[in-house]
Amino acid sequence: MKRGRAKRPPKAVRRGSVVVMTSTEAQNGFGRLLDTVARDATVLIQKHNVTQAVVMSVDRYEALSRGSAPSLDDLAAEFDELLARMQTPEARAGMRDAFAASPDELGRAAVEAARRAG
């Protein structure tokens, strides 16, 4: 029987600001993991090539947490603006015309709108 060194897990791989490492590597090198995260990297911890956990700085977490959801005040203002535009005489006349249009007229209008959008 050959005696050799124990098989070492692969080293962490950096992909931009994301670092991928095995769970064993994270467990054995927690200090290095924290240093990596402190340098504004995100670390994906994998077990059997499946991501099990994500470690990131608090600053990055807070930016992700607040960055994507608009505030309720912003949504209410957007809704009020849309409602006001729908209440103009021009918008009301347009809706009256659309509901009174024949299927052929609606088809032509749809083709024209698609042509303008394309």
Side-chain angles (χ1 to χ4, degrees):
M1 179 198 275
K2 258 187 177 179
R3 290 193 90 181
R5 286 189 262 174
K7 187 176 178 184
R8 297 183 70 188
K11 292 288 182 197
V13 177
R14 178 175 284 279
R15 296 180 189 144
S17 65
V18 175
V19 176
V20 180
M21 67 175 54
T22 66
S23 58
T24 301
E25 195 173 18
Q27 184 178 4
N28 292 343
F30 195 72
R32 198 178 92 207
L33 182 148
L34 290 179
D35 288 342
T36 300
V37 170
R39 289 189 304 271
D40 200 33
T42 300
V43 176
L44 303 179
I45 300 173
Q46 296 183 338
K47 186 173 186 177
H48 306 294
N49 292 323
V50 177
T51 300
Q52 301 291 316
V54 177
V55 182
M56 67 181 73
S57 70
V58 171
D59 291 339
R60 185 173 293 234
Y61 170 78
E62 288 176 349
L64 288 171
S65 295
R66 70 174 173 267
S68 61
S71 74
L72 190 54
D73 290 339
D74 291 341
L75 291 174
E78 183 180 347
F79 175 81
D80 291 343
E81 182 183 322
L82 290 170
L83 183 60
R85 286 196 329 232
M86 291 169 41
Q87 301 300 320
T88 65
E90 296 84 11
R92 288 174 183 252
M95 288 307 298
R96 263 194 310 274
D97 291 346
F99 278 103
S102 71
D104 288 339
E105 291 172 316
L106 289 174
R108 283 192 297 275
V111 168
E112 180 60 30
R115 195 174 295 139
R116 276 187 262 136

